[in-house]
Amino acid sequence: MASEITYAEVKFKNASPAAVVEVPPETKKHEHHPQKYPPWLPWLISLLLLLVCIAVIIALLGEYVQAGYRREWRCVSAVPRGKGQDWMCCPKGWKRFQKSCYYVSDDKMPWAESVQNCTGMGSHLVVINSKAEQAFLTNELRQSQKGTNYYIGLRAQVVGHWRWVDQTPYNETAAFWRTGEPSNVAVEMCVVIHSTTESHNWNDARCESHKRICEAAAVTA
């Protein structure tokens, strides 16, 4: 007799299903990509900076040319004839005395603006150092309207303490005050020179609008 094969379903106790490993979803990596600039950008920036520098240089040269080379000069021989070709030169319209050039203004300005105006022309308010220089200026001013005041480079920061604009020590023995001057009062801290025939013609005055005399060293060529 053929034997019968019996299949039986067998269940095991404490059997657990295969462990399921949960794999977390793949996290996306956020990579930082640096911003890329065109390779020609640094060259462009350098070119722009170069152009700005060139423009500044041209502007400065333009001012120098306008103030210097375009100025007309008048020159006289600084040595006797036959002993060389040295010349003493002053800008056109300026007066020369010894080794200095003098500008006598036609307009009026307060003290501070007068200082700036002379400085802008490469000079300073006149500093009078000798009797000969004082005589030269007095003679030049005789051609002006009598009684007109011209600033010179002498001023007091403290009443009675006079100082020249170029820091030259004030020498009382080389001062040319009018009789009774200076009055040495707080409201008159600037000094003017009068257009008069008198040799002593300085006066302390209010720092208001007056004409002015600028002085610069003559140029040797």
Side-chain angles (χ1 to χ4, degrees):
M1 174 183 294
S3 61
E4 294 182 359
I5 300 175
T6 303
Y7 295 93
E9 183 176 340
V10 179
K11 292 184 179 181
F12 296 92
K13 291 183 179 181
N14 299 326
S16 61
V20 177
V21 179
E22 294 186 0
V23 179
E26 182 180 359
T27 56
K28 296 183 179 180
K29 295 182 180 180
H30 297 282
E31 297 181 356
H32 178 71
H33 297 284
Q35 188 174 1
K36 295 183 179 180
Y37 296 98
W40 46 264
L41 184 59
W43 294 97
L44 178 60
I45 295 175
S46 300
L47 179 61
L48 291 175
L49 291 175
L50 178 61
L51 292 176
V52 170
C53 293
I54 293 175
V56 171
I57 293 173
I58 292 175
L60 293 176
L61 288 176
E63 292 182 3
Y64 178 76
V65 169
Q66 184 176 4
Y69 286 102
R70 290 183 181 176
R71 179 182 291 180
E72 294 184 34
W73 297 81
R74 297 185 64 181
C75 304
V76 297
S77 179
V79 295
R81 291 184 179 181
K83 293 187 178 181
Q85 297 296 323
D86 289 340
W87 298 84
M88 298 288 289
C89 303
C90 288
K92 187 176 180 180
W94 292 51
K95 306 292 184 179
R96 187 187 68 85
F97 176 71
Q98 295 180 351
K99 296 183 179 181
S100 293
C101 304
Y102 301 86
Y103 170 76
V104 180
S105 76
D106 292 323
D107 60 326
K108 296 181 179 181
M109 293 181 179
W111 167 268
E113 285 78 356
S114 296
V115 171
Q116 294 175 0
N117 180 261
C118 290
T119 301
M121 295 188 291
S123 61
H124 54 74
L125 284 173
V126 62
V127 175
I128 302 174
N129 298 307
S130 66
K131 185 176 181 179
E133 187 177 21
Q134 167 70 13
F136 164 77
L137 293 173
T138 299
N139 184 63
E140 288 294 327
L141 296 183
R142 284 174 183 167
Q143 304 173 24
S144 303
Q145 183 179 356
K146 187 176 180 180
T148 303
N149 293 328
Y150 294 83
Y151 275 128
I152 64 175
L154 189 62
R155 183 179 179 179
Q157 297 294 335
V158 179
V159 175
H161 295 269
W162 303 103
R163 298 189 64 178
W164 291 105
V165 291
D166 69 345
Q167 305 305 314
T168 296
Y170 171 69
N171 183 1
E172 191 171 350
T173 61
F176 302 92
W177 297 102
R178 298 180 70 182
T179 303
E181 300 293 343
S183 53
N184 288 327
V185 294
V187 294
E188 297 181 352
M189 304 291 276
C190 294
V191 179
V192 296
I193 183 172
H194 288 274
S195 56
T196 177
T197 57
E198 299 176 9
S199 59
H200 285 67
N201 49 14
W202 295 6
N203 184 52
D204 53 349
R206 295 175 182 269
C207 300
E208 299 173 345
S209 291
H210 297 291
K211 295 184 179 181
R212 63 200 172 279
I213 304 174
C214 303
E215 179 184 5
V219 175
T220 303

